Amino acid sequence: MDLGIAGKLAIVTACSGGLGDAVARSLAAEGVHLALFARSEARLRANAVEIQRRYNVRVVPVVGDMRSRDDVENLVAIVEREFGGPDILVLNTGRPPLPTRDVLEETDDDRWEQAYRTQLWAAILVARRVTPLLVRRGWGRVIAITSASVKQPMPNHGLSTIFRAGVTGLMKHIANEVASKGVTVNTVCPASIVTDSLERTYDLSERVKHIPVGRLGRPEELAATVTFLASEYAGFITGTSIHVEGGMVASLL
Ligand SMILES: NC(=O)c1ccc[n+]([C@@H]2O[C@H](COP(=O)([O-])OP(=O)(O)OC[C@H]3O[C@@H](n4cnc5c(N)ncnc54)[C@H](OP(=O)(O)O)[C@@H]3O)[C@@H](O)[C@H]2O)c1
């Protein structure tokens, strides 16, 4: 199935590994050119070379921190110069601080600040700068990666739920503001998708017992959902959240 996005340019944030990297590769497999944005220069450059070689698309690595306005400005300047502007924005972010705790045990203001800046402020900075560039082109896709915890809060995960709910609100507002301009805005909400950092953080053998499909998720499964939302076919889907979590969320909708 040709998703109709070959030749477009996607900015993928927080993509030196894990889900962001999987999304970048999935888009590249559709012929989408990439601007990769994260802080780890060596990993980003190595990924860019490999993706470019494997999928024959242009890949520009941009080293920077999503929480920095200057770094976001640098990202935009490079994308404008190299590609004339973006068509797709995949808004992935870093994780909340570890270890996870109950909200009332979160008494360290620095952890709240870190959780806010990494997940919500970073998303605000990038989304408000890049989305108008999609509107200018009259076609665009914004997809934010949040967490299934926005639908069903998980114990000890307040510093994720609270700020990712903020990202969900941010995306819904922007979706409404740009709906008539050819730009769709959605979120994808993962849980229990195996990445290196998830394996380092949790006892996954225990977690799998709570997943109805009976297994953990694969990054490619999350990435395929994002890629479909980025496609020409998803033009009538906006302002919504799609869960990729093996049936773990117990709510009706
Ligand atoms: N895996 C799951 O099942 C799951 C479930 C719920 C939510 N999530 C969320 O989905 C996101 C991706 O998950 P993951 O498992 O792939 O996480 P991960 O392996 O920890 O990857 C996070 C990525 O974010 C980048 N990053 C962190 N802070 C950044 C910053 N300030 N500016 C730019 N890039 C930054 C990291 O690269 P650098 O260090 O190079 O910057 C890394 O590439 C996370 O926010 C995670 O909390 C994942």
Side-chain angles (χ1 to χ4, degrees):
M1 183 175 180
D2 177 2
L3 294 182
I5 48 176
K8 295 203 181 285
L9 182 278
I11 293 173
V12 184
T13 63
C15 67
S16 62
L19 301 183
D21 178 49
V23 169
R25 287 164 195 270
S26 176
L27 289 167
E30 291 300 319
V32 174
H33 306 298
L34 297 168
L36 305 178
F37 188 57
R39 298 165 302 173
S40 305
E41 183 167 3
R43 281 201 294 166
L44 212 55
R45 292 196 188 288
N47 290 350
V49 168
E50 195 203 325
I51 293 171
Q52 190 155 310
R53 192 173 47 222
R54 182 178 297 186
Y55 299 106
N56 196 27
V57 292
R58 271 195 79 201
V59 186
V60 174
V62 182
V63 179
D65 188 323
M66 294 171 72
R67 300 166 296 188
S68 157
R69 190 181 284 106
D70 287 349
D71 287 359
V72 173
E73 283 303 325
N74 183 51
L75 167 69
V76 167
I78 290 172
V79 167
E80 298 265 62
R81 189 184 68 224
E82 298 290 327
F83 299 97
D87 305 290
I88 297 163
L89 169 63
V90 178
L91 201 46
N92 188 35
T93 62
R95 293 182 157 273
L98 294 170
T100 60
R101 295 176 187 147
D102 282 346
V103 167
L104 295 182
E105 288 174 0
E106 288 288 2
T107 54
D108 180 346
D109 291 355
D110 288 343
R111 279 173 52 98
W112 282 94
E113 178 77 15
Q114 190 188 332
Y116 160 67
R117 291 182 63 80
T118 298
Q119 297 168 99
L120 181 52
W121 179 239
I124 292 169
L125 267 184
V126 177
R128 78 177 183 193
R129 184 66 181 89
V130 173
T131 311
L133 306 178
L134 308 185
V135 170
R136 188 184 68 193
R137 286 161 94 89
W139 188 98
R141 302 283 187 258
V142 180
I143 303 106
I145 297 174
T146 59
S147 168
S149 68
V150 300
K151 196 77 170 184
Q152 178 175 310
M154 291 188 285
N156 307 322
H157 281 70
L159 287 192
S160 171
T161 308
I162 291 161
F163 298 110
R164 294 186 198 279
V167 174
T168 309
L170 172 74
M171 292 295 112
K172 186 69 179 175
H173 271 276
I174 297 175
N176 291 340
E177 290 170 20
V178 302
S180 65
K181 317 280 188 197
V183 178
T184 67
V185 183
N186 295 290
T187 69
V188 174
C189 314
S192 302
I193 297 185
V194 181
T195 59
D196 290 346
S197 66
L198 198 84
E199 282 187 306
R200 280 196 304 273
T201 310
Y202 301 107
D203 176 0
L204 295 179
S205 61
E206 185 54 37
R207 183 174 276 220
V208 78
K209 295 175 188 163
H210 305 285
I211 304 174
V213 301
R215 65 168 175 85
L216 298 158
R218 295 187 290 271
E220 309 86 74
E221 293 173 308
L222 182 285
T225 308
V226 173
T227 300
F228 175 73
L229 287 172
S231 77
E232 197 62 58
Y233 292 103
F236 205 53
I237 303 173
T238 197
T240 197
S241 297
I242 296 181
H243 294 249
V244 183
E245 33 71 342
M248 189 201 76
V249 169
S251 67
L252 196 57
L253 295 171

